[in-house]
Amino acid sequence: MRRPPANFFDEDLIGGIVDAAAAFDDDPDCRAIVLCSQGRHFCAGADFSGAGDFGTDKSAAAGRVYRRAAQLFDVRTPLIAAVQGAAVGGGLGLACAADFRVADPSTRFVASFSRLGTHQGFGLSVTLPAIVGPQVAADLLYRGATVRGTEAVQLGLADRLAEPGEQRAAAIAWGHEIAAAAPLAVASIRQTLRAGLADRVRSALERELAEQTRLWATADSDEGIQASLDRRTPSFTGR
């Protein structure tokens, strides 16, 4: 991703990732993919400041992103996310779409949705419980929690902890480990382990978008988003 410093996503960015990964699927010399980004943060999710698509029609913008995001789960090549800075909201969803995540102690995984007055998206209803277990996932989502790198490894949200600033190098080295295994066997194992995942994510995305659309129309969502932009603690009223 090359939209530093925050790497906010939209349909074009997610679509570019999907198209690149699909092209690698057809390259017999590619046995693993590393997803990384330029700038301070891995991906800050949607930009609600008004500067992009999400500033005009959140529901329509999210629908376009999710249509492309669903295709990421059809990718056949193992995917490792090198996560620096923060993976926030939908950026957390993007990181969780990968097979594995590499972090460093300062990396932040931010399940910010409830703090924005909305519902989780990007398939996190499926991927997050599968990664950390349903109880931990519920806790993180209910609280809108932030998890730093060391705790993320303890929870299973991150799989390996790199030295500060070395996430990408560590992810590439891991990719070489996978690439050294028999490619047909890896493909077969991955297909078995991820059987039905894409279908479950597509079903979840439909509900996620419907709930996000409903909640974005509430006063609490307006407050949550504005508080985030103002860098203050939100005050929710349940309306």
Side-chain angles (χ1 to χ4, degrees):
M1 292 176 278
R2 297 188 179 93
R3 292 185 179 179
N7 291 296
F8 290 114
F9 63 46
D10 59 14
E11 179 186 12
D12 288 342
L13 187 144
I14 298 301
I17 292 171
V18 169
D19 291 343
F24 284 129
D25 274 348
D26 295 328
D27 181 352
D29 292 327
C30 179
R31 299 185 182 184
I33 298 169
V34 172
L35 175 62
C36 53
S37 58
Q38 292 180 344
R40 181 179 178 185
H41 299 297
F42 174 75
C43 179
D47 183 0
F48 294 117
S49 69
D53 290 352
F54 283 87
T56 53
D57 188 335
K58 299 181 188 66
S59 181
R64 292 191 294 269
V65 166
Y66 293 167
R67 177 181 61 83
R68 295 295 265 150
Q71 297 171 336
L72 191 56
F73 294 88
D74 296 322
V75 171
R76 302 189 305 275
T77 306
L79 184 65
I80 304 168
V83 186
Q84 87 279 11
V88 182
L92 172 62
L94 177 58
C96 288
D99 296 70
F100 306 108
R101 285 147 296 284
V102 179
D104 78 6
S106 66
T107 298
R108 291 179 290 128
F109 296 91
V110 187
S112 56
F113 302 94
S114 66
R115 303 288 292 176
L116 298 174
T118 191
H119 190 284
Q120 70 270 13
F122 215 101
L124 278 166
S125 303
V126 172
T127 58
L128 190 59
I131 292 167
V132 301
Q135 291 300 105
V136 172
D139 174 50
L140 298 180
L141 291 169
Y142 290 177
R143 292 189 293 119
T146 295
V147 178
R148 293 193 177 272
T150 302
E151 182 186 3
V153 170
Q154 294 170 348
L155 294 176
L157 183 53
D159 301 283
R160 294 190 182 182
L161 194 67
E163 294 297 319
E166 295 298 317
Q167 297 95 326
R168 187 181 302 188
I172 291 171
W174 194 352
H176 281 291
E177 293 179 41
I178 294 171
L184 296 180
V186 171
S188 177
I189 292 166
R190 187 175 188 269
Q191 186 176 14
T192 299
L193 293 178
R194 293 169 72 94
L197 177 60
D199 289 338
R200 295 195 302 274
V201 167
R202 283 185 166 87
S203 178
L205 283 168
E206 292 183 8
R207 172 166 172 80
E208 288 175 349
L209 180 58
E211 288 303 295
Q212 286 181 332
T213 299
R214 180 177 70 86
L215 291 169
W216 277 327
T218 65
D220 272 357
S221 180
D222 290 341
E223 166 64 9
I225 290 171
Q226 191 59 53
S228 176
L229 296 173
D230 295 342
R231 298 184 181 277
R232 61 175 173 82
T233 301
S235 178
F236 296 122
T237 63
R239 294 193 294 270

